[in-house]
Amino acid sequence: MESHFIELSDIRKVYKDKEVLNLNQLRVRKGEIISVVGPSGTGKSTLLRLIAGLEKADTGEIMIDGEQITNVPPQQRPVVYMFQESLLFPHMNVLENVAFGLKMAKVSKKKRYEKSKEMMKRVGLEGLESDFPHEISGGQKQRAALARSLIVHPKVLLLDEPFSSLDTELRKETRRWIKHLLKSENITVLFVTHDLEEAMALGDRVAVLNKGKLQQLDSPHVLYESPFNPFVASFLQGGIWTEERFIPVSSLKLGRHDNQNGRKAEVIETYYQDGKFHCVLSIEHSEAIITLTTREKVNVGEHVKVFEVER
Amino acid sequence: MKWFRTSNPYVLMAPAVLITILLLGYGIVMAFLESIKYYNQPTLSIYRELLSDEIFITSILYSLRIAFISTIISLLIGLILVRSLYPVLRSKFPKLIAWMPMVFPHFIWGYMLFLLFSQTGYISSLLNGMGLHDQPNEFPNLFKDSFGIGIIITYVWKEVPFVILMLLPVYEQLSSPQKELVYTLGGRRWDVFWHVERPYVFPVMLETFFIVFAFVVSAYEVPALLGATYPKMIPVISYDWFFGSDWTKQPYAFAAMVILTLFIVLIVFLTYLFTRKGRIHLAQSSGAFHDLQAENRKYSRVLFFVMLGMTLLPIFILVLTSFVQRWTYGELLPSSLTIRGWHEMLWHGPKFIEAVYTSLGISLLVLLLNLLIGLPAAKGLAFHIFQGKSLVETLLLSPILIPSIVIALGVHLTFIKIGIANHWTGVVIVHLLPTLPYTIKVLRAGYERIGKRQEEIAVSLGAGAWGVFRNVYLPQLIPSIRSVVFLVTVISLGQYFLTALIGGGEVNTMAILFFPYFQTTNDAVIASFSILFAMIPIVVWLLIEGTLRLVIPKQPR
């Protein structure tokens, strides 16, 4: 039997008569990075806050590394939570910020500063020890926040949109670097994001949530090629869900001639990238929106055909 | 604390709410019962008598007029100053200047203005020296006059810094992109004021109006010191009735204060009702600072120097007076200086020294209680949403609207029965009334500025409740605590009526000593003593700062 590092079962959370989370089961393996995606207000952050212990579930159990932690206070959970903003303590310098968790664990000053300096080196913040948070850049802040989280060697790291305050380029760079670091530490991570590309790039598996329920938890490839239900398909814009089956984007092609046998679609946006024209299409008589590429220019508002190709 | 969320808002707020309900509710009920002579035969005859008494009606109208005029003028001047100066006021020195009058209790500030503007005061003397008039009595009589000009000047001068304190955070958070938006959409300066400033500023102005008005109309100290023999403000009349030789007049004191309380509640309620439409509930601002640019930049330098002069002149005159040996009327500066005033006060007046220790002890205790009760309550209000929150907010603010004199009168007998009247414990408890609402207000803003996410991070990293408070909140709350220290100690030091009433002559604070000595002793002694009033808050702050240094982990800077 496969061993699960994190195991949530029958978790239910209600806020003011509104069910925000209802999970039958969520299992994560050790060292795995799970991206959590879904429309806003589907309980992604609530999920992390429950695992962190910042909120209490109404029912259900949470196990981490074989230990029941449902009733363990947040201070004693082997879990660290990181917010979208770096939230460094503004009145402490970077070194003190990084050392905070060790201080709370009553590690002696000499030892904690030693370890913190080491950790700062690992995340590339050498030399910024005595700077204050307002003196360093956004990317550096995120690195410092990560160092602060990793120094207590948590079994699980919870990241709540950690890159959303960074600009696009820095975001990509930071996520590559973070994935590398997390993998080398073999740390188990749950990572909430609203950016699909980021979710796919960072996550070994991706959990799709909707209305408080887990829709599917699979690797990006499986998600795109065989979504469980129409919601997952339309949320990822991964293809067309017909009555009988699902056709992924990878099996679809765009055609412009009426004689072809396919589904009608309208072009709603086009852009040129990577040597191809990308067309965002709204499929007629369905809510599906997909993006296909062509060699020739297509105009917004144009009606085209989408047909399946043999692979 | 087993669970993070068990920091139940009701538990956090319980001490503040309980003490407010107990003192306020009990005090008002008892004051009313006393006023209808409940212990003999309940009757409303005193009310009937008072409300048909011309002298009393004159007093009521006089009190309301003085309060209205002082409040409106303070608000206008404060608004103009903040609008023109808020970028300047961000730096340390101008801020210090603006705050400085707040270190002096009201009656001390009144005394300082008396030194300046009385018929034999500095200005009169200066005009005489310049040959503009011959006799002191040619200078207009501003003090002890029947219009109460001296009282109004004192209040305006003292309340303007308070108005600035209230309005400054609002202006610092006004968004300049919003202003620019109005300009690009074709709006003029008036439109900017109306659509960008007013929605944020007006609610705060209104709150400030309530606070200042309720304070001025019901305070005893300044009109007692500077007012005329007729007409008198209601608190002064009540004092005379209560402490007068004819004890059958005591119920009149209760009734007068109850009537005044009703007036305040009525006026606050009506104003609240009529301005309801204009108020918009504004979300907590992000608190981001923008490039601050005042509207009237041309005048800001001039205005700042005016403010500087207005603040420093009274202080300068007070300090100078404390060293005066002889100052002939008509001369610009005293002819000879001496430290005799200081010497006499410090070494030949054991009463002075005793009073200083008593005042220091009482204000320290009041301050500690304020922090103990206020910190959890402020956190509860800042971070929790719960049933009945607005009720709790109103309740906790109400002691600044309901005259503390009426409450003190009400609890007086009970304090005697349970043995805490005529003792410092009783005095400390009643001093909570005029101070706790400010403490909660200031600390709440402090907590809101920090936000609660830092706490969640800290908890997630293993910090317990005390660890969070010590490492995360306390170091960042220091500016708020500093404001609380000054507000609370100055208010506590300035309480003459409450202390005289509950202390019953046994608790001799500096205020108790100041009143009879005012104008009967050498000016140099009284001026030296007045300066001590301003020193106490500074000493208390040094003590608190020292203690905090021990508690808060060292900050390598």
Side-chain angles (χ1 to χ4, degrees):
Chain A
M1 199 189 116
E2 206 176 9
S3 78
H4 295 288
F5 196 67
I6 308 178
E7 191 161 357
L8 275 71
S9 37
D10 302 320
I11 293 286
R12 193 157 175 271
K13 175 81 185 168
V14 176
Y15 270 133
K16 292 180 184 161
D17 305 328
K18 194 182 165 251
E19 188 177 73
V20 286
L21 201 62
N22 187 351
L23 289 179
N24 289 332
Q25 201 163 54
L26 178 69
R27 290 167 161 181
V28 181
R29 289 184 287 267
K30 185 167 172 52
E32 211 176 11
I33 300 179
I34 302 288
S35 298
V36 183
V37 297
S40 50
T42 41
K44 299 185 299 265
S45 291
T46 307
L47 173 65
L48 295 202
R49 294 173 67 85
L50 287 175
I51 299 174
L54 296 173
E55 270 166 56
K56 195 172 171 28
D58 299 320
T59 61
E61 288 188 344
I62 303 172
M63 308 261 287
I64 290 180
D65 199 9
E67 271 177 68
Q68 177 64 257
I69 61 150
T70 319
N71 288 312
V72 174
Q75 291 91 339
Q76 289 157 30
R77 294 191 181 195
V79 170
V80 171
Y81 186 62
M82 250 180 87
F83 283 94
Q84 17 190 298
E85 312 105 88
S86 60
L87 282 176
L88 295 175
F89 302 118
H91 58 293
M92 300 179 188
N93 64 28
V94 179
L95 184 68
E96 285 174 303
N97 262 291
V98 173
F100 186 83
L102 295 179
K103 184 179 180 187
M104 291 300 110
K106 303 213 160 48
V107 174
S108 77
K109 195 179 234 172
K110 191 169 162 250
K111 205 162 176 193
R112 68 174 187 251
Y113 283 163
E114 205 174 282
K115 281 190 167 183
S116 304
K117 279 181 187 154
E118 217 171 282
M119 180 57 79
M120 286 181 68
K121 210 169 173 180
R122 281 186 59 101
V123 301
L125 289 178
E126 226 179 344
L128 295 178
E129 284 83 358
S130 54
D131 283 19
F132 280 86
H134 66 271
E135 297 168 326
I136 61 178
S137 72
Q140 288 170 332
K141 278 185 201 164
Q142 284 300 347
R143 284 167 187 246
L146 192 75
R148 178 174 67 178
S149 305
L150 290 179
I151 201 151
V152 292
H153 296 294
K155 288 181 174 170
V156 175
L157 185 63
L158 305 168
L159 304 174
D160 195 345
E161 304 211 15
F163 312 124
S164 58
S165 57
L166 307 179
D167 61 51
T168 324
E169 267 318 297
L170 193 57
R171 247 179 120 121
K172 287 184 179 167
E173 186 200 314
T174 312
R175 86 178 178 220
R176 283 171 208 137
W177 166 83
I178 250 181
K179 179 159 188 173
H180 179 74
L181 184 72
L182 295 176
K183 281 296 170 193
S184 70
E185 299 266 325
N186 194 28
I187 197 160
T188 312
V189 179
L190 262 80
F191 163 68
V192 163
T193 180
H194 62 261
D195 182 328
L196 285 178
E197 182 188 309
E198 200 167 275
M200 303 303 158
L202 205 60
D204 299 317
R205 287 193 294 161
V206 176
V208 182
L209 255 61
N210 187 34
K211 293 185 179 153
K213 292 200 172 66
L214 179 63
Q215 307 293 324
Q216 190 169 0
L217 172 57
D218 265 313
S219 67
H221 178 253
V222 177
L223 279 179
Y224 274 105
E225 297 303 321
S226 35
F228 277 180
N229 57 33
F231 173 79
V232 177
S234 77
F235 182 73
L236 300 178
Q237 304 188 354
I240 305 173
W241 192 278
T242 64
E243 280 89 42
E244 57 273 24
R245 68 204 174 90
F246 176 75
I247 313 164
V249 168
S250 56
S251 309
L252 290 171
K253 228 181 150 183
L254 188 125
R256 304 177 82 177
H257 306 294
D258 269 345
N259 54 5
Q260 275 162 331
N261 220 349
R263 298 182 63 135
K264 282 184 184 164
E266 189 187 341
V267 180
I268 54 174
E269 189 188 17
T270 63
Y271 55 90
Y272 187 79
Q273 196 178 37
D274 311 325
K276 287 172 196 152
F277 289 100
H278 293 241
C279 310
V280 184
L281 303 169
S282 164
I283 309 294
E284 246 172 49
H285 308 303
S286 87
E287 281 169 18
I289 289 174
I290 56 172
T291 305
L292 295 179
T293 58
T294 84
R295 290 276 168 202
E296 23 180 338
K297 188 170 168 20
V298 184
N299 295 317
V300 172
E302 203 173 310
H303 289 270
V304 292
K305 285 275 177 74
V306 170
F307 57 92
E308 199 176 349
V309 289
E310 297 302 321
R311 278 198 286 181
Chain B
M1 172 174 117
K2 195 184 163 209
W3 261 95
F4 181 60
R5 289 289 149 182
T6 47
S7 55
N8 183 325
Y10 297 106
V11 176
L12 289 173
M13 251 148 335
V17 168
L18 277 181
I19 201 153
T20 309
I21 290 182
L22 262 176
L23 281 174
L24 205 71
Y26 186 79
I28 292 175
V29 170
M30 289 310 285
F32 179 70
L33 292 182
E34 295 276 343
S35 73
I36 57 170
K37 293 193 276 190
Y38 175 73
Y39 292 108
N40 305 328
Q41 216 168 17
T43 164
L44 286 173
S45 65
I46 293 179
Y47 286 93
R48 243 171 273 137
E49 203 182 312
L50 280 179
L51 289 174
S52 58
D53 178 14
E54 205 177 309
I55 296 180
F56 183 77
I57 296 293
T58 315
S59 254
I60 282 269
L61 294 177
Y62 179 69
S63 303
L64 293 176
R65 190 178 67 208
I66 286 194
F68 257 118
I69 295 175
S70 323
T71 310
I72 295 293
I73 297 179
S74 311
L75 277 173
L76 286 179
I77 296 180
L79 179 69
I80 292 171
L81 284 178
V82 172
R83 284 198 80 218
S84 333
L85 291 180
Y86 66 96
V88 179
L89 287 174
R90 277 173 83 198
S91 4
K92 265 191 183 152
F93 176 69
K95 209 172 223 168
L96 186 74
I97 292 300
W99 281 191
M100 217 176 239
M102 297 195 53
V103 183
F104 295 88
H106 279 83
F107 59 84
I108 298 294
W109 196 257
Y111 171 64
M112 291 156 78
L113 296 187
F114 182 80
L115 289 177
L116 267 179
F117 292 111
S118 72
Q119 286 185 311
T120 53
Y122 185 73
I123 301 291
S124 166
S125 168
L126 198 69
L127 293 178
N128 175 276
M130 288 157 60
L132 291 175
H133 65 207
D134 301 325
Q135 295 293 318
N137 58 18
E138 285 173 37
F139 189 76
N141 186 10
L142 302 178
F143 291 87
K144 312 252 175 201
D145 69 313
S146 57
F147 197 75
I149 293 177
I151 301 175
I152 294 176
I153 295 179
T154 305
Y155 278 131
V156 169
W157 217 304
K158 262 295 282 182
E159 297 309 329
V160 165
F162 178 72
V163 176
I164 296 178
L165 179 82
M166 294 285 286
L167 285 179
L168 195 59
V170 184
Y171 271 89
E172 282 181 343
Q173 291 189 350
L174 276 187
S175 106
S176 56
Q178 231 173 12
K179 278 188 193 174
E180 286 159 10
L181 179 76
V182 173
Y183 284 130
T184 49
L185 290 175
R188 288 161 199 281
R189 273 169 65 161
W190 171 254
D191 300 307
V192 168
F193 175 75
W194 195 250
H195 297 290
V196 182
E197 286 182 39
R198 185 193 50 102
Y200 291 89
V201 174
F202 186 66
V204 181
M205 292 273 280
L206 198 66
E207 192 187 352
T208 316
F209 172 83
F210 290 151
I211 294 175
V212 174
F213 178 80
F215 171 78
V216 173
V217 84
S218 67
Y220 165 79
E221 286 78 8
V222 172
L225 210 60
L226 306 174
T229 37
Y230 179 84
K232 280 179 175 169
M233 283 180 79
I234 294 293
V236 182
I237 289 193
S238 300
Y239 181 90
D240 293 349
W241 278 333
F242 191 84
F243 288 102
S245 48
D246 181 4
W247 61 269
T248 58
K249 278 286 183 188
Q250 280 198 355
Y252 288 80
F254 290 96
M257 286 312 292
V258 169
I259 292 174
L260 188 64
T261 306
L262 290 177
F263 264 100
I264 296 174
V265 171
L266 188 74
I267 288 168
V268 168
F269 180 72
L270 287 180
T271 320
Y272 191 79
L273 212 64
F274 284 127
T275 54
R276 218 154 111 183
K277 267 193 202 153
R279 271 177 288 118
I280 302 172
H281 288 283
L282 299 160
Q284 191 66 38
S285 157
S286 63
F289 285 104
H290 307 279
D291 274 345
L292 297 179
Q293 278 203 345
E295 288 297 318
N296 317 315
R297 277 169 96 196
K298 276 177 280 182
Y299 311 114
S300 66
R301 188 174 284 259
V302 178
L303 272 176
F304 176 68
F305 279 108
V306 171
M307 193 174 78
L308 188 75
M310 299 283 268
T311 307
L312 292 185
L313 186 62
I315 298 175
F316 171 73
I317 295 298
L318 183 70
V319 174
L320 194 61
T321 306
S322 77
F323 292 108
V324 161
Q325 186 163 34
R326 205 214 315 272
W327 195 343
T328 319
Y329 182 76
E331 278 173 16
L332 182 62
L333 288 170
S335 46
S336 60
L337 294 179
T338 170
I339 54 160
R340 231 190 58 215
W342 283 93
H343 192 266
E344 205 168 298
M345 177 191 63
L346 291 174
W347 280 277
H348 293 280
K351 272 182 168 177
F352 284 110
I353 299 302
E354 186 206 317
V356 168
Y357 281 125
T358 312
S359 280
L360 187 63
I362 285 178
S363 40
L364 256 177
L365 276 172
V366 173
L367 176 68
L368 290 180
L369 278 177
N370 261 283
L371 289 175
L372 280 178
I373 301 169
L375 280 166
K379 192 177 173 195
L381 285 175
F383 294 154
H384 294 272
I385 295 167
F386 52 89
Q387 284 249 301
K389 183 166 176 177
S390 54
L391 188 73
V392 171
E393 282 175 316
T394 315
L395 180 77
L396 292 180
L397 187 71
S398 57
I400 12 187
L401 299 180
I402 309 282
S404 41
I405 293 176
V406 77
I407 298 162
L409 284 171
V411 297
H412 181 222
L413 268 184
T414 312
F415 272 28
I416 292 177
K417 276 185 205 142
I418 59 175
I420 54 172
N422 307 336
H423 192 263
W424 56 263
T425 42
V427 174
V428 168
I429 292 174
V430 291
H431 280 197
L432 286 179
L433 276 171
T435 51
L436 192 57
Y438 292 106
T439 303
I440 293 175
K441 227 174 129 42
V442 172
L443 291 178
R444 177 185 177 171
Y447 273 113
E448 279 171 352
R449 204 184 49 237
I450 299 168
K452 68 174 168 186
R453 289 194 154 178
Q454 290 189 31
E455 170 168 359
E456 294 182 341
I457 291 279
V459 163
S460 174
L461 288 167
W466 171 244
V468 170
F469 180 69
R470 205 181 98 137
N471 291 288
V472 177
Y473 287 123
L474 201 53
Q476 297 184 72
L477 278 176
I478 284 187
S480 309
I481 292 178
R482 188 180 300 138
S483 306
V484 167
V485 167
F486 283 100
L487 275 170
V488 169
T489 46
V490 173
I491 294 174
S492 168
L493 282 175
Q495 297 301 327
Y496 171 78
F497 195 134
L498 291 194
T499 314
L501 182 68
I502 302 294
E506 300 289 319
V507 183
N508 289 309
T509 61
M510 292 165 72
I512 297 289
L513 209 56
F514 184 90
F515 266 69
Y517 271 85
F518 170 68
Q519 278 192 310
T520 63
T521 317
N522 182 341
D523 260 346
V525 179
I526 275 299
S528 325
F529 193 47
S530 299
I531 293 170
L532 276 194
F533 273 89
M535 307 292 279
I536 299 277
I538 297 169
V539 170
V540 172
W541 167 244
L542 290 177
L543 287 174
I544 297 290
E545 171 114 40
T547 319
L548 287 179
R549 286 252 165 107
L550 293 179
V551 177
I552 294 172
K554 271 208 191 81
Q555 307 286 321
R557 291 268 148 172

